[in-house]
Amino acid sequence: MTNQIQLTAENIQQVLGDTSQEKLVALSFYSAQSPECQEQASILQGIAQQYQQHLVVATLDCDTQQALAGQLAQQIGLQALPTLVLLKEGAPVDMLPGPQSEAQIKEALQKHLPQPQDMLLQQAKDALMVQNHNEAFKLAKQAYDIDSNNSRIKLVLADICIQIHKLDDAKALLETIGLVEQDAYYNNIKAKLELAEQAQDSPEIQALQQTVDNEPENLEAKVNLAVALNEAGKKEDALATLFKVLNKDLNFGDAKKSYLDIIASLPEGDALAAQYRRKLYSILY
């Protein structure tokens, strides 16, 4: 659904009343006869696309909606075109009369829009809802880098870390959550972490590890162990095991493919991916 609306008598109550309860509304008084209005309309179009989740740009065409424009202009004391009025929870919170630059509009919006880390966190949650774990991790990590003391950001990031099997990172994040902030969500994540840690030391992995210990030259056993480690979320151990195989025989079975698949499954920019990509290059070239 678009967040750019043409304001009319039919939708004014919905937009300025109900919509402004949920999002910031930028009411733009516009006339096609004014070059400044046309220029500002182009700026607002770009801004609307950047803040789709939190902003609605409602344009009132003063040429075609004269009665409505006259009524609103009287209420707010309109003196110039273009004029931009910001509304939140049904009430005006700011007014920018006359033509404004993109920087001026954004500066005014920032006072009333969610903070960048809050928007990133919401985007991370949205990505998590559609099972896009790596994108969710990237967005949540960006939010954390902006505000590393925010307990809600830390909890969401820890939750994502568990789902992409970065258990050490999840544990480190949970250890920074103060007692007062240990709510139901915290307890849920802590329980998830405990289950994930138990899965990393399953009887299957123990048996495969025993085989590798007893038969150190058995490359097939090492590949099988690496597959099981990866499935349990121990990606670094899996990569280390596969690298030992590739170092012995670069073309052994599916070892190289499994190695590259694990690297590809890691979040963008992950240090572990870069480390093991370099290690592979060292024996390829």
Side-chain angles (χ1 to χ4, degrees):
M1 185 176 178
T2 180
N3 65 330
Q4 300 179 62
I5 299 171
Q6 292 295 321
L7 202 62
T8 66
E10 288 72 29
N11 66 11
I12 183 173
Q13 185 60 47
Q14 172 68 33
V15 175
L16 302 191
D18 298 342
T19 302
S20 72
Q21 297 293 332
E22 303 171 359
K23 299 183 179 183
L24 182 66
V25 174
L27 169 58
S28 173
F29 287 84
Y30 168 88
S31 171
Q33 301 176 52
S34 164
E36 290 87 355
C37 284
Q38 293 182 21
E39 183 177 350
Q40 185 157 300
S42 178
I43 292 172
L44 287 171
Q45 183 178 17
I47 289 175
Q49 292 172 355
Q50 295 175 43
Y51 299 97
Q52 291 189 32
Q53 289 188 316
H54 304 283
L55 175 69
V56 171
V57 174
T59 300
L60 178 58
D61 190 327
C62 298
D63 300 328
T64 62
Q65 302 287 331
Q66 293 183 7
L68 182 59
Q71 179 184 349
L72 291 177
Q74 187 174 10
Q75 290 178 5
I76 68 167
L78 182 71
Q79 296 181 348
L81 286 177
T83 285
L84 195 63
V85 180
L86 304 182
L87 298 104
K88 195 170 186 179
E89 298 180 354
V93 292
D94 206 348
M95 184 165 71
L96 288 75
Q100 307 288 320
S101 67
E102 180 176 356
Q104 288 173 315
I105 295 172
K106 283 187 173 181
E107 182 180 359
L109 292 175
Q110 291 301 330
K111 299 173 187 176
H112 309 288
L113 286 170
Q115 293 299 303
Q117 61 268 32
D118 296 329
M119 290 191 281
L120 286 165
L121 186 63
Q122 184 57 53
Q123 291 168 11
K125 291 178 181 179
D126 292 343
L128 195 57
M129 286 288 289
V130 295
Q131 303 296 306
N132 191 344
H133 296 120
N134 284 352
E135 181 68 11
F137 174 81
K138 182 180 76 172
L139 292 164
K141 182 63 166 59
Q142 289 174 357
Y144 176 78
D145 289 342
I146 294 172
D147 186 0
S148 60
N149 294 317
N150 187 309
S151 62
R152 186 55 44 176
I153 292 174
K154 288 191 283 189
L155 287 172
V156 172
L157 182 56
D159 196 356
I160 297 168
C161 282
I162 292 169
Q163 297 190 52
I164 62 173
H165 304 298
K166 294 175 73 71
L167 302 190
D168 289 342
D169 289 353
K171 187 173 184 178
L173 286 163
L174 288 181
E175 288 174 349
T176 68
I177 303 297
L179 188 61
V180 177
E181 299 162 328
Q182 293 179 14
D183 56 9
Y185 186 36
Y186 166 87
N187 290 325
N188 177 264
I189 297 170
K190 187 177 179 182
K192 283 183 185 178
L193 177 61
E194 290 171 355
L195 286 173
E197 287 178 330
Q198 290 170 16
Q200 287 194 332
D201 196 27
S202 67
E204 178 193 5
I205 290 176
Q206 292 177 17
L208 288 168
Q209 183 65 63
Q210 188 63 50
T211 301
V212 169
D213 292 343
N214 294 338
E215 305 172 33
E217 298 304 316
N218 187 337
L219 300 187
E220 185 66 34
K222 289 182 179 179
V223 171
N224 292 336
L225 173 60
V227 170
L229 288 169
N230 180 50
E231 289 175 351
K234 303 183 78 169
K235 294 182 181 289
E236 184 169 6
D237 290 343
L239 286 168
T241 302
L242 285 170
F243 183 74
K244 291 177 182 177
V245 173
L246 295 173
N247 214 14
K248 287 280 188 180
D249 184 350
L250 189 58
N251 298 307
F252 183 82
D254 290 332
K256 189 194 298 182
K257 181 181 183 302
S258 297
Y259 187 96
L260 293 172
D261 286 346
I262 295 172
I263 289 175
S265 74
L266 293 167
E268 181 182 345
D270 192 285
L272 187 63
Q275 176 188 349
Y276 276 90
R277 197 175 284 115
R278 285 194 301 269
K279 287 171 77 72
L280 179 60
Y281 290 159
S282 71
I283 58 176
L284 283 173
Y285 307 107

